[in-house]
Amino acid sequence: MKTKIQQGMALLTAALLPLALPAADVQVTQPITNQVTWHRTNTYFLNGPIYVLSNAVLTIEAGTVIKGKPGGTNDASYLVICQGGKIYANGTPTQPIIFTAEEDDVNDPADLGIYDRGKWGGLVLLGHAPINMAADSAGNAANPKYEVYEGLSDIQINGQHVHRYGGNDPNDNSGVLRYVSIRHGGVKILPNKEINGLSLCGVGRGTVIEFVEAYAIADDGFEFFGGTVNTKYCVSAFCDDDAFDADMGYTGKNQFWLAIQERGAKDNGAELNGEINGAVTGNERPIGNYEIYNATWIGAGTNTAGNRGLQIRDYAAPRIYNSILTEFGGRGIRIDTTAATHLTNGLLDLRDNLWWNFATNGVPVPVAETAAAELLFTDTNRNNVVANPMLRGTARNNTVPGGLDPRPQAGSPALTSARTAPNDGFYTPVAYKGAFDANDLWIGGWTALSAYNFLPDKPLDVVTISGALTGNHFWARTNVYLLSGPVYVLSNATLTIEAGTVIKGRPGGTNDASYLVICQGGKIYANGSPSQPIIFTAEEDDVNDPADLGIYDRGKWGGLVLLGHAPINMAADSAGNAANPKYEVYEGLSDIQINGQHVHRYGGNDPNDNSGVLRYVSIRHGGVKILPNKEINGLSLCGVGRGTVIEFVEAYAIADDGFEFFGGTVNTKYCVSAFCDDDAFDADMGYTGKNQFWLAIQERGAKDNGAELNGEINGAVTGNERPIGNYEIYNATWIGAGTNTAGNRGLQIRDYAAPRIYNSILTEFGGRGIRIDTTAATHLTNGLLDLRDNLWWNFATNGVPVPVAETAAAELLFTDTNRNNVVADPLLRGISRTNQPAFGLDPRPQAGSPALTSARTAPNNGFYTPVAFKGAFGDINWASDWSALTRYGILSAAGGGTPPAVLPVVIPVAANLAAGKQNGNLLIGVSGSPNGRYQLQSVEQLGQPWVNVGEPLVLDPQGRGQFVVPMLGPGRFYRLQGIGQ
C-alpha cells in the first residue's frame, strides 16, 4: 500500500529511566491525562485542584510526600480521581504515602500544632458505583443517577465532567490506597462546604482502601457518598466534624476503624445518613445498608459537650458489630424516627458492642438518646453491653509520649466475643470487640499519630523456628524470628519476609548450627527496602545497638543457603556426578531426607529456575563451622537459576566467603561483601550468570582473595566438566585489606574458569592484583576469559610494592593495550575499614577520577544498567542506609540514594502492523507486547528525524491495540517506539 508501514522499522527500544537526580520539588499544575508515576525522591506540590481524568493512572511510590498549597473557594488545592481515572498509592508500614499541607515539614513533628486543620484540601475519589439522592439534585432524573461533588460547578475538562460521581457499576475500580496518611486538610471551598480527608463518592468495591489515616481534618475524616467500596484499617483522628460520615445509599463492608476526637473540635463519632444532608423522601434507593465490624470510637472526653457517639439518620440502616464506643461528651447513640423502622425489619442492626463513659461536662448521661436506641440495650439478644473496655490509654495529646494505646488490657471484656465477622474473603474473622486485639497495634509506624509521638513503642515478640517448613509462611516485622538449628523451606513451600524483619540464628557447631536453607522447589520472598532492610544476624546481636558486637565479630551463627535446579559441573569423585541431571550435596553435609526430600541437594537442568527474591537483605556475623574446613557462607547460591532475584544484598563479617556461587545461572546486582574471612566473592562448578555493582572490602585481620573464581569446586579439575565457569562481572569495586598486610590477592582465576570482568576497580591489596592459573590461561586466548577497561592501583606486601600481575597470562591483560586495563589511582573519596573516625568509607570516585569515564558500557539487555563509569559507584551511594556498613558507622551516608531502575527490554510479538484508512484518518493496528506502551512515529524520508504522531498507546493484555491518527500524506514511513510497561 502507498502508506509505507515498514514492518522492519517497527522497532522496540529499551526504555531506560534517566540517571537518578537529586530530590526535587515538583509543582503539579495540570490535569493528569495519561500514566504518571510520582517518586519518593521528589516532593509534589498541588497547585489548586488536580484532576486525574478518565483512563489516566497516577501511581505513587511508597514513601512519597504530596503537599497541598493553601487556598480558598477558587484556588484550594486537592486531588480528585475522576470517574474512570485510577490511583495506585501503595505505601508500606515504614514508608507511608503522606498527603499534607505545604508548610508541614514531615521530618519535624513539632512544626505544626497537633490539631492544625484546614491548611489544604484532601483526597477525592469519584466513581461509577450506585448512589441515591435527594429529589432536588441536578442528576436525579438521569439514568444512571449522578451527583456533583460538594456543590461545585459541573465543569468539564477535556470533555469530562470532572466533579460528577455515581453510576450503575458496583464493581467499579478507582485503584488502591494502602498505607496512606492524609493530614491537616479540610479547606473551605464553599460556605459550609469543606473538603473531607478522604471523600469516597460513588466508589465501587473494586477499589482497595486499607490502612488509611485522616488526621486533623477541618471536616469529616472519611465520608462515603453512596457507592459500594469496602474499607479496612482506617484511622480518623482529631477531625472537626464527624470521624466517619455516610450518605446517599452507601452499601459497603468495613472492618477495623479507629476514631479519636479532641475537646476543641468534634461532632459525632459517626453520622450515618440515608440520603445527603438529611434531605429525605423515603423513595430513594439503595437504602444506606452497610456493615461495620470492629470499630473503636473514642470521643472528645467526658468533660466536653455536644459530641455524640453515633447518629443514625433517617433512611439509614447500618449494621454495626463487635465495636467499642467510649468517652463522649454526649449520648452514645441516637436513632432518628424513620431509621427506627429499619430496626424492626432487620435492615438496621447493632449487636455485640461495648459502650462506656458518656457524660456532658462531667455529668453522666444515658447511652441511648431515643426510644429506638433504647431497644438496642433492652433486647438482651443484641448483647450491647455498658461495660469498661479497659483500653490501655486514651490520651488526645502527646505531652506524655505514648499515652494513646487503644488496645484492651488483660481482663478486658473486649478481648472476647461470641460473634466473628463472616469468613467471606474480605473480613478477618476475629473474636474480639474493637479495632485491636491485645497485641497488634496496627496504627504504629505509618500514621501521623505515630509520627507525632501519641503511640507507645511496640516491643517485638520472639518466635523460635526450627525444623522443616511446609506450606506458606509469613514473617512479620513485628516479631523477631530465632533460628534454632538448620531450618529448611521444603519444595512447594514459600517463606515471605516483610521489610524490616529481623531474623537471628542461635550459635552452634557441627550438629546444631543455625542456618536457613531454601531447598530445591522452595521459595523465599524477602523484599526489604532501603530504610527497612531485612536483617539476618546472630542471636546476641541487638540490631538497635551498633556497639554491642565488635565490627569484625564472625562465626556466631550460619547464613543463608539457596539450593536450586539450575545446571552445575562437578569433580569426578562427586556422589551425584553420574546422575542425570547432575547434583551435589551442600558443603559435604549428609544427603539426608525430610518428608521424602533430599534437603541438601542442588543442581539440575533448569537454567530459569526460580528460588524467589532477596532484595535489601543484610546477612551479618555468620559463617559458623559445620565440618572441618567447612563453614557456611554469608549467602550460598547453589545451582540457583536466573529466575531468582538477588539485588541489594550484603554479607557482613562472615567467617567464610561473603558470597559463593556453586554453579547455577543466577544474576546478581548491588551486592556488598564486607570484612569476610575468606574470599569476598567465590565462584565454582560452572557458574554462568551476570553480575553488576559489587562492593568488596577486606580488613587486615582476616581475608583471602577479593574473588576466587573457580571452574570446578575446590580446584578439583578434570577439564571435562561442563558448563565452563563463564560469567560476567561489570562495575565491581574491590578494596583489599591494605598494603600493610600480606597474602591477599585481588583476583585468583583458577583452572577451567573463564570470567569476563569489565569496568571494575581493584585497589589496596597486600598481594598481587591478579593470578591466572595455567589452564584458565587457555580461555584468555580463545576469548572465553576476558578482562577489559579495569583500573588497578596500590598493590604492596607489608608496604613493599609488588607488580599487579602474578603470572604470564595475567601480564597479557596489561601488555595488550586493546584491553585497556590501566594502573591508575581511582581517587576514591575515602577508604576506611573502621568506624574510628566514623563514616570514613566512601567508595565513590572523586572529581577528576579516571573511574568516572569509560569507553565501555554494559549491554542494554534489560538486566544491566549501561553506565559509562568504572567501579560499583558513580554519584549515588546505593549501599548507604540499609547496610551494616552504614549502621556501624563505617560507610558514609553521603550521596545516599536509590539507583535508577532498569525497565526490561520489551520484545514485541512479531511487532505486526496493519494499516487502513477511514474518514480521513489512518488506522494502524498493532500486535505487540501485552500491556506494552508504544509511541507511533513518522518520517517522510529515511534519514530525517522521526516525529511522534498522536499520544502513546497502551496495548491490551492480549498485546493488541490500534492507533487512529490523521493522514499525514502519502509515501510516509511509520515505526513504533517502545516506551516501557
Side-chain angles (χ1 to χ4, degrees):
M1 55 182 292
K2 290 295 183 182
T3 304
K4 298 177 184 176
I5 306 293
Q6 284 194 301
Q7 302 235 356
M9 294 299 294
L11 304 177
L12 267 180
T13 59
L16 296 177
L17 294 177
L19 292 178
L21 299 174
D25 291 346
V26 179
Q27 302 296 328
V28 184
T29 60
Q30 298 297 320
I32 295 172
T33 59
N34 51 23
Q35 297 188 36
V36 172
T37 298
W38 289 354
H39 301 281
R40 71 182 183 90
T41 49
N42 302 324
T43 300
Y44 296 84
F45 290 83
L46 308 179
N47 288 256
I50 301 299
Y51 300 94
V52 178
L53 299 185
S54 181
N55 297 317
V57 177
L58 172 59
T59 300
I60 306 179
E61 281 187 351
T64 304
V65 176
I66 302 97
K67 296 187 176 184
K69 293 194 170 183
T73 300
N74 297 317
D75 60 354
S77 295
Y78 46 98
L79 180 64
V80 182
I81 313 303
C82 300
Q83 290 181 309
K86 285 186 173 59
I87 183 171
Y88 292 104
N90 259 308
T92 71
T94 56
Q95 290 284 299
I97 293 166
I98 299 174
F99 288 84
T100 191
E102 180 180 27
E103 64 188 283
D104 181 17
D105 179 352
V106 296
N107 296 310
D108 181 0
D111 67 327
L112 290 183
I114 59 173
Y115 304 143
D116 280 359
R117 309 177 180 89
K119 294 185 171 293
W120 71 292
L123 182 54
V124 181
L125 272 61
L126 308 177
H128 286 290
I131 62 173
N132 72 30
M133 304 181 322
D136 59 354
S137 176
N140 195 57
N143 187 9
K145 294 178 182 177
Y146 68 83
E147 184 54 281
V148 177
Y149 179 66
E150 288 286 20
L152 292 171
S153 299
D154 192 19
I155 61 171
Q156 295 185 50
I157 298 176
N158 291 6
Q160 178 173 5
H161 292 275
V162 294
H163 293 145
R164 288 188 182 182
Y165 60 93
N168 54 13
D169 183 4
N171 298 312
D172 192 35
N173 179 0
S174 296
V176 176
L177 300 180
R178 184 181 285 117
Y179 290 107
V180 172
S181 177
I182 306 166
R183 307 175 181 178
H184 304 293
V187 69
K188 188 183 294 293
I189 52 173
L190 290 170
N192 296 318
K193 294 284 188 180
E194 298 86 14
I195 301 285
N196 305 293
L198 179 59
S199 299
L200 296 162
C201 310
V203 176
R205 66 172 69 101
T207 309
V208 175
I209 307 290
E210 59 182 27
F211 298 101
V212 179
E213 176 190 44
Y215 180 92
I217 307 298
D219 196 37
D220 302 321
F222 295 77
E223 186 161 3
F224 301 82
F225 297 83
T228 57
V229 65
N230 304 322
T231 77
K232 214 167 183 181
Y233 300 107
C234 292
V235 181
S236 180
F238 312 136
C239 299
D240 200 354
D241 197 0
D242 307 308
F244 294 89
D245 193 337
D247 308 291
M248 304 179 67
Y250 169 57
T251 57
K253 302 174 183 178
N254 307 274
Q255 190 176 26
F256 304 125
W257 282 1
L258 170 66
I260 186 167
Q261 299 174 307
E262 57 92 14
R263 182 180 180 91
K266 74 285 180 185
D267 197 357
N268 301 292
E271 183 176 358
L272 307 175
N273 300 289
E275 298 171 348
I276 197 164
N277 300 323
V280 295
T281 67
N283 299 318
E284 304 303 334
R285 293 294 182 273
I287 291 290
N289 187 221
Y290 44 95
E291 290 181 332
I292 304 167
Y293 276 82
N294 295 97
T296 295
W297 278 280
I298 302 171
T302 56
N303 287 317
T304 63
N307 84 304
R308 181 187 291 111
L310 303 177
Q311 173 149 335
I312 301 177
R313 302 281 290 268
D314 285 331
Y315 303 104
R319 299 186 299 282
I320 303 173
Y321 306 116
N322 274 359
S323 294
I324 297 171
L325 292 100
T326 188
E327 300 226 357
F328 284 83
R331 300 292 188 97
I333 181 168
R334 174 186 174 89
I335 301 177
D336 288 354
T337 305
T338 310
T341 62
H342 300 307
L343 193 62
T344 53
N345 68 18
L347 285 178
L348 169 61
D349 196 17
L350 289 89
R351 296 177 188 261
D352 297 284
N353 304 298
L354 282 179
W355 311 73
W356 183 250
N357 213 12
F358 300 89
T360 300
N361 291 323
V363 178
V365 295
V367 178
E369 189 170 344
T370 58
E374 286 281 359
L375 291 175
L376 299 177
F377 301 93
T378 56
D379 180 355
T380 56
N381 290 326
R382 296 183 188 269
N383 197 30
N384 290 295
V385 178
V386 179
N388 188 351
M390 298 171 60
L391 303 185
R392 299 185 193 188
T394 58
R396 299 166 185 83
N397 60 58
N398 57 3
T399 53
V400 178
L404 174 62
D405 188 344
R407 293 175 296 176
Q409 301 174 41
S412 165
L415 289 174
T416 58
S417 178
R419 178 179 297 274
T420 59
N423 189 2
D424 63 354
F426 172 76
Y427 288 116
T428 302
V430 294
Y432 57 82
K433 300 179 179 76
F436 303 89
D437 65 8
N439 299 309
D440 185 11
L441 189 64
W442 51 261
I443 53 177
W446 60 278
T447 58
L449 286 172
S450 183
Y452 294 167
N453 296 316
F454 286 88
L455 305 179
D457 294 331
K458 183 181 176 184
L460 301 180
D461 296 323
V462 177
V463 180
T464 301
I465 307 291
S466 61
L469 303 182
T470 60
N472 299 317
H473 295 262
F474 179 80
W475 291 358
R477 67 184 180 90
T478 49
N479 301 321
V480 170
Y481 295 85
L482 182 61
L483 307 179
S484 182
V487 173
Y488 301 94
V489 178
L490 299 185
S491 181
N492 297 318
T494 61
L495 171 59
T496 301
I497 305 178
E498 187 180 17
T501 304
V502 175
I503 302 96
K504 296 185 176 184
R506 282 183 167 158
T510 300
N511 298 317
D512 59 353
S514 296
Y515 47 96
L516 179 64
V517 181
I518 311 303
C519 300
Q520 291 181 308
K523 286 186 172 58
I524 182 171
Y525 295 103
N527 260 307
S529 72
S531 61
Q532 287 287 301
I534 293 167
I535 298 173
F536 288 85
T537 191
E539 181 179 21
E540 64 188 283
D541 180 18
D542 179 352
V543 296
N544 297 310
D545 181 0
D548 67 326
L549 291 182
I551 61 173
Y552 304 143
D553 279 0
R554 307 178 182 90
K556 293 184 171 295
W557 71 293
L560 182 54
V561 181
L562 272 60
L563 308 178
H565 287 290
I568 63 174
N569 73 31
M570 303 183 318
D573 60 352
S574 175
N577 195 57
N580 186 11
K582 295 178 180 177
Y583 68 83
E584 185 54 282
V585 177
Y586 179 67
E587 289 286 21
L589 291 172
S590 299
D591 192 20
I592 62 171
Q593 294 185 51
I594 299 176
N595 290 6
Q597 178 173 6
H598 292 273
V599 294
H600 293 145
R601 287 188 184 182
Y602 60 93
N605 55 13
D606 183 4
N608 298 311
D609 192 36
N610 179 0
S611 296
V613 175
L614 300 180
R615 184 180 286 119
Y616 291 108
V617 171
S618 178
I619 305 166
R620 306 175 182 178
H621 305 293
V624 70
K625 188 183 295 292
I626 52 173
L627 290 170
N629 297 315
K630 295 284 187 179
E631 298 87 14
I632 300 284
N633 306 291
L635 178 60
S636 300
L637 296 162
C638 310
V640 175
R642 66 173 69 101
T644 309
V645 175
I646 307 290
E647 59 182 28
F648 301 101
V649 178
E650 176 189 43
Y652 181 92
I654 306 298
D656 195 39
D657 302 319
F659 294 77
E660 186 161 3
F661 301 83
F662 297 83
T665 58
V666 66
N667 304 323
T668 78
K669 211 166 184 182
Y670 303 109
C671 292
V672 178
S673 180
F675 311 139
C676 298
D677 201 354
D678 197 0
D679 308 309
F681 293 89
D682 192 340
D684 306 292
M685 302 179 68
Y687 169 57
T688 57
K690 302 170 184 174
N691 308 274
Q692 192 177 25
F693 304 125
W694 282 1
L695 170 64
I697 185 167
Q698 298 175 309
E699 58 91 13
R700 182 181 180 91
K703 74 285 178 186
D704 196 356
N705 302 291
E708 182 177 357
L709 308 175
N710 300 289
E712 298 171 350
I713 196 163
N714 299 326
V717 296
T718 66
N720 300 318
E721 304 303 333
R722 294 294 184 271
I724 290 290
N726 187 221
Y727 44 95
E728 289 181 331
I729 304 167
Y730 275 83
N731 295 95
T733 295
W734 279 280
I735 302 171
T739 55
N740 287 317
T741 63
N744 84 304
R745 182 187 292 113
L747 303 177
Q748 172 150 336
I749 300 178
R750 303 280 291 271
D751 285 332
Y752 303 103
R756 299 187 299 282
I757 303 174
Y758 306 115
N759 274 359
S760 293
I761 296 171
L762 292 100
T763 188
E764 300 245 344
F765 284 84
R768 301 293 189 96
I770 180 169
R771 173 186 176 89
I772 301 177
D773 288 354
T774 305
T775 310
T778 63
H779 299 307
L780 193 62
T781 54
N782 68 18
L784 285 177
L785 169 62
D786 196 17
L787 289 88
R788 296 177 188 261
D789 297 283
N790 303 298
L791 282 179
W792 312 73
W793 184 248
N794 213 15
F795 300 89
T797 299
N798 291 323
V800 179
V802 296
V804 179
E806 189 171 346
T807 57
E811 285 282 358
L812 291 175
L813 300 176
F814 301 92
T815 56
D816 180 355
T817 56
N818 290 326
R819 296 183 188 270
N820 197 31
N821 289 295
V822 178
V823 179
D825 189 349
L827 294 171
L828 303 185
R829 300 188 190 197
I831 297 175
S832 174
R833 300 168 185 85
T834 76
N835 53 9
Q836 301 295 326
F839 302 110
L841 174 63
D842 188 342
R844 296 176 300 155
Q846 302 174 39
S849 166
L852 289 173
T853 58
S854 178
R856 178 180 298 274
T857 59
N860 185 0
N861 62 4
F863 172 75
Y864 288 116
T865 302
V867 294
F869 58 77
K870 300 180 178 75
F873 301 90
D875 293 331
I876 300 172
N877 180 2
W878 50 261
S880 72
D881 196 14
W882 60 276
S883 64
L885 280 173
T886 299
R887 178 60 177 157
Y888 292 165
I890 300 164
L891 176 67
S892 171
T898 304
V902 176
L903 294 180
V905 173
V906 182
I907 301 174
V909 182
N912 295 316
L913 304 178
K917 291 187 292 183
Q918 186 180 73
N919 299 326
N921 290 323
L922 179 65
L923 278 59
I924 300 178
V926 183
S927 174
S929 294
N931 303 309
R933 295 184 69 228
Y934 295 78
Q935 175 66 59
L936 183 66
Q937 297 181 326
S938 176
V939 67
E940 187 170 3
Q941 293 183 5
L942 294 179
Q944 294 178 344
W946 291 89
V947 177
N948 289 347
V949 180
E951 296 292 325
L953 174 71
V954 179
L955 301 191
D956 66 19
Q958 286 72 48
R960 297 189 296 267
Q962 184 182 63
F963 286 93
V964 180
V965 296
M967 288 287 293
L968 299 178
R972 296 186 71 90
F973 294 87
Y974 291 84
R975 74 175 184 184
L976 292 181
Q977 187 83 3
I979 55 176
Q981 285 184 276

